[in-house]
Amino acid sequence: PAFAGFASSVEGDVGLVHLDAHSDTMDDEELYGPHWHGSPMARIDDLDQGGYENHAMVGIRAYERAGFPDLVAETGIQVNYARDVREKGIETCIEEAIAHATDGTDHVYLTVDIDAVDPAFAPGTGTPEPGGLTSTELLTAMDRLGGCADIGAMDLMEVAPRLDPTDATGMLASMAIARFLERRFPR
């Protein structure tokens, strides 16, 4: 809904940069229907203003829908898996994501699921997956993303404070948003 709201408020196509452990490209689920936490990217692809061809994912490493590699090949989704971040570095992966999301679009939406980060650094989330970004990699990514003038809106989601008695997840999420905004609106 946030992407749809942003996309309907601007003229032209909207690219998407998506940091997450999961692709969230699942379609209708018998139990949940078409709208559930595994389907938002499929719903964005259904919109006129957004689509997989300008969708860039960073940090993916968990169970995916059957045929996810085929979906990537057929639609042009750009994916830097968590292993790619380890091999190429977060800066390169974010630069590639920005280049893909801005290619032929007028605006970009940024969505960050805190489970992109390894649960050793951000345990307070509903679907933690080992092998994720470090806290430093997330903050570095947010610095660079904050400097991308094409990004017109962002969200950071799935922080579950009750699942983290240390408050490390909430503090990291707050710092990530602050770093994005500080870079976006320098003094």
Side-chain angles (χ1 to χ4, degrees), residues 112-136:
V112 180
D113 185 325
I114 199 66
D115 70 23
V117 179
D118 191 278
F121 302 98
T125 188
T127 51
E129 299 286 348
L133 304 179
T134 67
S135 56
T136 300

Short mmCIF file of all heavy atoms in Angstrom, two decimals, residues 112-136:
data_model
loop_
_atom_site.label_atom_id
_atom_site.label_comp_id
_atom_site.label_asym_id
_atom_site.label_seq_id
_atom_site.Cartn_x
_atom_site.Cartn_y
_atom_site.Cartn_z
N VAL A 112 12.94 -1.39 3.07
CA VAL A 112 13.94 -2.12 3.85
C VAL A 112 13.21 -2.97 4.88
O VAL A 112 12.48 -2.46 5.72
CB VAL A 112 14.90 -1.15 4.57
CG1 VAL A 112 15.93 -1.93 5.38
CG2 VAL A 112 15.57 -0.21 3.58
N ASP A 113 13.40 -4.28 4.79
CA ASP A 113 12.90 -5.19 5.80
C ASP A 113 14.08 -5.45 6.74
O ASP A 113 15.16 -5.85 6.27
CB ASP A 113 12.43 -6.49 5.15
CG ASP A 113 11.78 -7.45 6.12
OD1 ASP A 113 12.22 -7.51 7.29
OD2 ASP A 113 10.87 -8.18 5.71
N ILE A 114 13.90 -5.25 8.03
CA ILE A 114 15.01 -5.39 8.97
C ILE A 114 15.60 -6.79 8.95
O ILE A 114 16.76 -6.98 9.32
CB ILE A 114 14.59 -4.96 10.40
CG1 ILE A 114 15.81 -4.66 11.27
CG2 ILE A 114 13.69 -5.99 11.03
CD1 ILE A 114 16.63 -3.48 10.86
N ASP A 115 14.85 -7.79 8.45
CA ASP A 115 15.43 -9.13 8.39
C ASP A 115 16.47 -9.28 7.29
O ASP A 115 17.08 -10.35 7.15
CB ASP A 115 14.37 -10.23 8.35
CG ASP A 115 13.58 -10.31 7.06
OD1 ASP A 115 14.05 -9.84 6.01
OD2 ASP A 115 12.47 -10.87 7.11
N ALA A 116 16.72 -8.23 6.52
CA ALA A 116 17.88 -8.23 5.62
C ALA A 116 19.16 -8.37 6.44
O ALA A 116 20.16 -8.92 5.98
CB ALA A 116 17.92 -6.95 4.78
N VAL A 117 19.09 -7.89 7.67
CA VAL A 117 20.23 -7.92 8.59
C VAL A 117 20.26 -9.27 9.31
O VAL A 117 19.21 -9.82 9.68
CB VAL A 117 20.13 -6.77 9.61
CG1 VAL A 117 21.30 -6.79 10.59
CG2 VAL A 117 20.06 -5.43 8.88
N ASP A 118 21.44 -9.79 9.52
CA ASP A 118 21.62 -11.04 10.25
C ASP A 118 21.02 -10.92 11.65
O ASP A 118 21.16 -9.88 12.30
CB ASP A 118 23.11 -11.37 10.33
CG ASP A 118 23.35 -12.77 10.84
OD1 ASP A 118 23.32 -12.95 12.08
OD2 ASP A 118 23.57 -13.66 10.03
N PRO A 119 20.34 -11.97 12.14
CA PRO A 119 19.74 -11.88 13.47
C PRO A 119 20.75 -11.71 14.60
O PRO A 119 20.35 -11.33 15.71
CB PRO A 119 18.95 -13.18 13.61
CG PRO A 119 19.44 -14.08 12.55
CD PRO A 119 20.01 -13.22 11.47
N ALA A 120 22.02 -11.91 14.35
CA ALA A 120 23.03 -11.61 15.38
C ALA A 120 23.06 -10.11 15.67
O ALA A 120 23.39 -9.70 16.78
CB ALA A 120 24.41 -12.08 14.92
N PHE A 121 22.67 -9.30 14.68
CA PHE A 121 22.66 -7.84 14.83
C PHE A 121 21.25 -7.29 15.01
O PHE A 121 21.09 -6.20 15.56
CB PHE A 121 23.29 -7.18 13.60
CG PHE A 121 24.69 -7.61 13.33
CD1 PHE A 121 24.97 -8.60 12.40
CD2 PHE A 121 25.75 -7.04 14.02
CE1 PHE A 121 26.26 -9.01 12.16
CE2 PHE A 121 27.05 -7.44 13.79
CZ PHE A 121 27.31 -8.44 12.86
N ALA A 122 20.24 -8.02 14.50
CA ALA A 122 18.85 -7.55 14.56
C ALA A 122 17.94 -8.75 14.81
O ALA A 122 17.25 -9.22 13.90
CB ALA A 122 18.48 -6.84 13.27
N PRO A 123 17.90 -9.25 16.05
CA PRO A 123 17.08 -10.43 16.34
C PRO A 123 15.58 -10.14 16.44
O PRO A 123 14.77 -11.05 16.34
CB PRO A 123 17.62 -10.91 17.68
CG PRO A 123 18.15 -9.67 18.34
CD PRO A 123 18.69 -8.84 17.21
N GLY A 124 15.20 -8.89 16.59
CA GLY A 124 13.81 -8.54 16.82
C GLY A 124 13.01 -8.41 15.55
O GLY A 124 12.60 -7.31 15.16
N THR A 125 12.76 -9.53 14.91
CA THR A 125 11.94 -9.56 13.70
C THR A 125 11.22 -10.89 13.65
O THR A 125 11.67 -11.87 14.24
CB THR A 125 12.79 -9.32 12.43
OG1 THR A 125 11.91 -9.17 11.31
CG2 THR A 125 13.79 -10.42 12.20
N GLY A 126 10.12 -10.93 12.93
CA GLY A 126 9.30 -12.13 12.92
C GLY A 126 9.84 -13.29 12.10
O GLY A 126 9.48 -14.43 12.32
N THR A 127 10.70 -13.00 11.13
CA THR A 127 11.22 -14.06 10.26
C THR A 127 12.74 -13.93 10.12
O THR A 127 13.25 -13.66 9.03
CB THR A 127 10.55 -14.02 8.88
OG1 THR A 127 10.61 -12.69 8.36
CG2 THR A 127 9.11 -14.47 8.94
N PRO A 128 13.47 -14.12 11.21
CA PRO A 128 14.93 -13.99 11.14
C PRO A 128 15.55 -15.10 10.29
O PRO A 128 15.08 -16.23 10.30
CB PRO A 128 15.36 -14.10 12.59
CG PRO A 128 14.28 -14.89 13.25
CD PRO A 128 13.01 -14.53 12.53
N GLU A 129 16.58 -14.73 9.54
CA GLU A 129 17.29 -15.68 8.68
C GLU A 129 18.79 -15.47 8.88
O GLU A 129 19.29 -14.37 8.69
CB GLU A 129 16.96 -15.43 7.21
CG GLU A 129 15.50 -15.60 6.86
CD GLU A 129 15.03 -17.04 6.81
OE1 GLU A 129 15.89 -17.95 6.84
OE2 GLU A 129 13.81 -17.25 6.76
N PRO A 130 19.53 -16.53 9.24
CA PRO A 130 20.96 -16.38 9.41
C PRO A 130 21.66 -16.06 8.09
O PRO A 130 21.14 -16.34 7.02
CB PRO A 130 21.42 -17.73 9.96
CG PRO A 130 20.29 -18.67 9.79
CD PRO A 130 19.06 -17.88 9.53
N GLY A 131 22.84 -15.46 8.20
CA GLY A 131 23.65 -15.19 7.02
C GLY A 131 23.39 -13.86 6.37
O GLY A 131 23.73 -13.65 5.21
N GLY A 132 22.80 -12.91 7.09
CA GLY A 132 22.42 -11.63 6.50
C GLY A 132 23.47 -10.56 6.58
O GLY A 132 24.62 -10.79 6.93
N LEU A 133 23.03 -9.35 6.26
CA LEU A 133 23.91 -8.18 6.31
C LEU A 133 24.35 -7.94 7.75
O LEU A 133 23.64 -8.25 8.69
CB LEU A 133 23.17 -6.94 5.81
CG LEU A 133 22.55 -6.97 4.42
CD1 LEU A 133 21.85 -5.65 4.15
CD2 LEU A 133 23.55 -7.30 3.36
N THR A 134 25.50 -7.33 7.89
CA THR A 134 25.93 -6.86 9.20
C THR A 134 25.28 -5.50 9.45
O THR A 134 24.75 -4.86 8.53
CB THR A 134 27.46 -6.71 9.27
OG1 THR A 134 27.86 -5.64 8.38
CG2 THR A 134 28.18 -8.00 8.91
N SER A 135 25.34 -5.05 10.68
CA SER A 135 24.79 -3.72 10.98
C SER A 135 25.57 -2.65 10.21
O SER A 135 24.98 -1.69 9.71
CB SER A 135 24.82 -3.46 12.48
OG SER A 135 26.11 -3.61 13.00
N THR A 136 26.87 -2.82 10.10
CA THR A 136 27.69 -1.86 9.34
C THR A 136 27.29 -1.84 7.87
O THR A 136 27.20 -0.76 7.26
CB THR A 136 29.18 -2.20 9.49
OG1 THR A 136 29.52 -2.13 10.88
CG2 THR A 136 30.05 -1.24 8.71
#
